[in-house]
Amino acid sequence: MRLSQYFLPTLRETPSEAQIISHRLMLRAGMIRQSASGIYTWLPLGLRVLKKIEQIVREEQDRAGAIEMLMPTIQSADLWRESGRYDDYGLEMLRIKDRHDRDLLYGPTNEELITDIFRSSLKSYKDLPINLYHIQWKFRDEIRPRFGVMRGREFLMKDAYSFDIDVNGARHSYHQMFVAYLRTFSRLGLRAIPMAADAGPIGGDMSHEFVILADTGESQVFCHKDLVDMDPPGDDVDYNADLSGLIDERIKLYAATDDKHDQATFEAEVPEDRRLSARGIEVGHIFYFGTKYSKSMGATVTGPDGASITVEMGSYGIGVSRLVAAIIEASHDESGIIWPESVAPFMIGLINLKPGDAGSDRSCADLYQRFQNAGIDVLYDDTAERAGAKFSTMDLIGLPWQIIIGPRGLKKGVVEIKHRATGEREELSPDAAVNKFAAPGE
Ligand code: 5CA
């Protein structure tokens, strides 16, 4: 992408309404623009990151055996009356009437809708287990939307729903998502800690929040420090095998959010030098709630002996749009964002120090073309801005690598490469610079 032809409305001033660093940087880097309280437009740069995160979430859901679909944002109130949540959900639910005076709502979550789809399509124990997910916008009329997309009213969530014939099966489904979450957050460059949590309006008696530690987090969390250093399960994890060993290893260590925290247990179970009390951001939340919805909505299958079985369910959420902000909270410096390569909007920022200089233009165009051919995303700053402004914009938007090209370097036959995270610089020939990122021959 050539910057001269792109839409990157960066801000020079720090917006006064933004209280936390990720919100400030997302506005300054031209990633989002507020449309109404808690409702945001995703500008091109922000959208690229959102899509990258979405794709990693998708790949790990698929790997764990969940199946993607897409449910609508608008739902019928009747389904929620069946579960009893139409009244329970309260003011957080955005309620709408259509022209026929029928009650609709903008979905804050999808337990009812998926249970309805399940009961009308699947009838036999042979169809189970099954885990269905989608990545879709939600609306919650939060009392205090704040911190940009961190606590929005409209936000993008991955929500998965598992159906099993018995409690053991449901526990396995829960474990599969637990492992998938550890892997997902790690691929996003985050160390998320699973913590015993309160199930809130979703319900159920087993629930874990996945929390990343950050001073600006909205919740107070308490855990054993060993959890922070644990590596996620590898690529070779077998989702069909018993996963309880992997889970137990973690849940045997104390970790709880404020709602579930018990100071006496914390002190009894965790040696003083291993106790961690910190602020955290909830990036995912999983629930096992058994037959809460299947019972009220009549989601049953026929068992092997012909008897009717009320299915066991769980639901599993990831805050996809919140993750964009959470990653920035975890990875930035005083100059701007530092994207992990896995979610970076572009891999390389190519800076032409002297547009109009024939040699610089030629060399930049050549590298740009070769990276494109190799399938590497490059943002090419071909604008007439002064060099200092170009450097600050590149640092602000946080692309992992910068390649800086100007007449002085070219005279020596080199371009400069800067690694955003470490600030390390090296000079390479243009060919070597291409080969550093693209395998030779590509
Ligand atoms: N039905 C369940 C699981 S699918 C559910 O709705 N869980 S939740 O309420 O915990 O939401 C799942 C995730 O969405 C949260 O962990 C959080 O990361 C994200 N989330 C929740 N509310 C907001 C919000 N207002 N703004 C941004 N992200 C949010």
Side-chain angles (χ1 to χ4, degrees):
M1 182 58 63
R2 282 175 183 263
L3 188 55
S4 62
Q5 290 159 22
Y6 201 43
F7 180 50
L8 184 69
T10 52
L11 306 176
R12 277 195 211 294
E13 308 298 322
T14 299
S16 59
E17 76 272 19
Q19 295 162 20
I20 61 170
I21 190 76
S22 57
H23 189 192
R24 284 200 285 273
L25 288 174
M26 286 180 79
L27 291 169
R28 284 189 51 213
M31 293 178 65
I32 52 167
R33 181 67 56 86
Q34 184 174 325
S35 303
S37 167
I39 302 178
Y40 291 86
T41 293
W42 288 81
L43 299 172
L45 194 77
L47 184 63
R48 278 183 165 256
V49 178
L50 190 69
K51 293 276 175 206
K52 288 262 171 91
I53 295 174
E54 194 182 312
Q55 184 55 22
I56 289 175
V57 169
R58 175 177 292 120
E59 285 169 16
E60 292 302 325
Q61 289 293 293
D62 293 349
R63 189 198 291 265
I67 305 165
E68 187 171 13
M69 55 193 283
L70 186 59
M71 290 177 265
T73 53
I74 307 286
Q75 304 180 21
S76 154
D78 288 339
L79 282 177
W80 288 68
R81 292 198 174 99
E82 280 190 54
S83 72
R85 276 208 297 182
Y86 192 60
D87 294 328
D88 294 352
Y89 221 93
L91 291 173
E92 260 191 28
M93 182 186 278
L94 182 65
R95 295 155 205 261
I96 309 163
K97 269 195 196 300
D98 71 8
R99 61 167 69 196
H100 305 293
D101 215 28
R102 279 193 281 261
D103 292 321
L104 300 171
L105 56 98
Y106 195 122
T109 175
N110 281 56
E111 279 79 6
E112 285 77 358
L113 189 46
I114 195 78
T115 306
D116 181 50
I117 290 161
F118 178 90
R119 70 180 171 188
S120 59
S121 326
L122 297 175
K123 306 286 183 200
S124 162
Y125 74 96
K126 291 184 192 147
D127 299 323
L128 302 190
I130 194 161
N131 184 335
L132 301 169
Y133 79 95
H134 73 163
I135 300 174
Q136 177 62 294
W137 294 92
K138 305 287 185 287
F139 193 93
R140 294 183 185 173
D141 205 350
E142 297 275 349
I143 189 159
R144 214 159 8 120
R146 56 183 184 157
F147 303 155
V149 299
M150 190 76 91
R151 179 163 298 278
R153 292 198 297 167
E154 189 184 50
F155 60 97
L156 189 61
M157 192 200 286
K158 183 287 297 179
D159 38 328
Y161 303 86
S162 66
F163 300 86
D164 281 274
I165 51 165
D166 56 24
V167 177
N168 277 342
R171 188 175 301 119
H172 183 61
S173 298
Y174 189 89
H175 288 174
Q176 287 177 320
M177 287 294 105
F178 196 115
V179 169
Y181 277 34
L182 294 172
R183 288 185 43 80
T184 303
F185 296 125
S186 154
R187 283 187 62 191
L188 298 172
L190 298 172
R191 193 51 67 92
I193 305 170
M195 304 205 166
D198 193 58
I202 309 294
D205 49 18
M206 180 160 68
S207 172
H208 286 91
E209 272 182 24
F210 288 75
V211 173
I212 65 157
L213 303 178
D215 293 340
T216 46
E218 289 186 287
S219 15
Q220 184 68 29
V221 298
F222 305 84
C223 73
H224 195 301
K225 280 188 182 154
D226 287 3
L227 281 164
V228 183
D229 307 320
M230 281 174 105
D231 285 328
D235 287 348
D236 55 350
V237 62
D238 178 1
Y239 279 101
N240 293 317
D242 181 5
L243 300 169
S244 35
L246 284 173
I247 310 296
D248 291 345
E249 196 171 50
R250 291 176 169 80
I251 61 178
K252 71 171 193 227
L253 295 171
Y254 188 96
T257 59
D258 0 4
D259 308 332
K260 284 272 173 180
H261 176 60
D262 179 71
Q263 187 66 21
T265 316
F266 185 45
E267 288 175 13
E269 287 185 6
V270 187
E272 196 169 358
D273 63 332
R274 302 308 290 156
R275 281 180 216 151
L276 183 68
S277 160
R279 304 296 294 175
I281 302 169
E282 176 200 328
V283 287
H285 199 159
I286 61 178
F287 305 81
Y288 162 67
F289 44 72
T291 56
K292 175 173 165 160
Y293 300 92
S294 48
K295 204 175 202 166
S296 55
M297 296 183 65
T300 60
V301 292
T302 311
D305 55 0
S308 166
I309 302 171
T310 302
V311 295
E312 292 279 331
M313 291 175 60
S315 72
Y316 314 92
I318 289 184
V320 177
S321 48
R322 173 177 290 184
L323 272 165
V324 180
I327 293 169
I328 297 174
E329 289 294 330
S331 185
H332 65 267
D333 64 12
E334 59 288 344
S335 309
I337 303 167
I338 303 172
W339 290 116
E341 291 191 7
S342 61
V343 299
F346 298 91
M347 181 63 86
I348 298 170
L350 179 62
I351 300 177
N352 186 344
L353 286 178
K354 201 153 189 214
D357 169 72
S360 302
D361 288 352
R362 202 175 329 109
S363 184
C364 284
D366 177 53
L367 257 65
Y368 180 57
Q369 187 63 53
R370 289 162 71 185
F371 283 127
Q372 270 195 323
N373 293 348
I376 295 169
D377 287 333
V378 177
L379 182 63
Y380 169 23
D381 188 345
D382 59 343
T383 65
E385 275 286 356
R386 55 194 178 80
K390 290 187 175 190
F391 295 144
S392 351
T393 300
M394 279 301 173
D395 280 353
L396 172 65
I397 67 173
L399 309 184
W401 298 93
Q402 296 170 15
I403 299 183
I404 302 150
I405 299 184
R408 205 176 306 158
L410 288 177
K411 206 178 278 173
K412 293 192 287 171
V414 297
V415 301
E416 190 182 20
I417 302 197
K418 176 180 158 186
H419 187 226
R420 173 69 181 88
T422 58
E424 276 164 23
R425 293 167 187 271
E426 65 178 325
E427 289 190 333
L428 291 177
S429 71
D431 282 342
V434 172
N435 291 340
K436 184 179 170 81
F437 300 98
E442 273 184 277

